Amino acid sequence: QVHLVESGGGSVQAGDSLRLSCAASGRIFSTYAIGWFRQAPGKEREFIACNSWIVSATYVADSVKGRFTISRDNAKNTVSLQMNSLKPEDTAVYYCAAAPATSRLRNRDAEYWGQGTRVTVSS
């Protein structure tokens, strides 16, 4: 079992930055791919980024590439999402997720989900 807890959300102005963190419990953390998704009101959940330490792979969605960066600290069992140059369209609930492989996350087929943290970007 893996428990994921997100933190770091909030309300900011366009152009600001936020750093989200995902704290994971469970011995399998280092072997799992960890990623971030978001869901805006009335929209489907969207893949943002994921990382696999085992295969040294990182994927970032085109919609946020160049502005968002995913990083991982296995020693602390945390995965972070650094979000820069935020836009109003980045407003959403952001979820941390885990799966045995990055391909599953990229297909929105996570095995574990956090409860989400809300990000609101005002113009």
Side-chain angles (χ1 to χ4, degrees):
Q1 186 75 14
V2 175
H3 294 285
L4 305 171
V5 179
E6 304 93 338
S7 62
S11 297
V12 297
Q13 297 291 317
D16 286 351
S17 298
L18 272 178
R19 187 176 181 87
L20 305 183
S21 291
C22 174
S25 62
R27 294 181 299 167
I28 60 174
F29 173 81
S30 62
T31 65
Y32 265 49
I34 308 292
W36 288 94
F37 293 75
R38 68 184 180 187
Q39 189 165 19
K43 295 188 177 181
E44 291 187 350
R45 193 165 294 189
E46 175 189 11
F47 167 79
I48 296 299
C50 67
N51 168 272
S52 170
W53 180 72
I54 291 294
V55 298
S56 299
T58 297
Y59 298 93
V60 181
D62 289 341
S63 60
V64 300
K65 194 169 292 183
R67 298 190 298 123
F68 290 13
T69 303
I70 187 171
S71 60
R72 184 181 188 127
D73 187 337
N74 280 344
K76 297 182 178 180
N77 276 18
T78 60
V79 173
S80 298
L81 184 69
Q82 178 67 41
M83 306 187 295
N84 298 327
S85 303
L86 283 163
K87 304 175 181 180
E89 51 263 43
D90 295 319
T91 295
V93 177
Y94 284 72
Y95 297 90
C96 179
T102 56
S103 57
R104 285 188 56 178
L105 290 179
R106 293 164 69 194
N107 287 319
R108 296 187 294 173
D109 182 24
E111 193 166 311
Y112 302 101
W113 292 94
Q115 292 190 332
T117 184
R118 186 175 300 277
V119 172
T120 302
V121 184
S122 302
S123 59

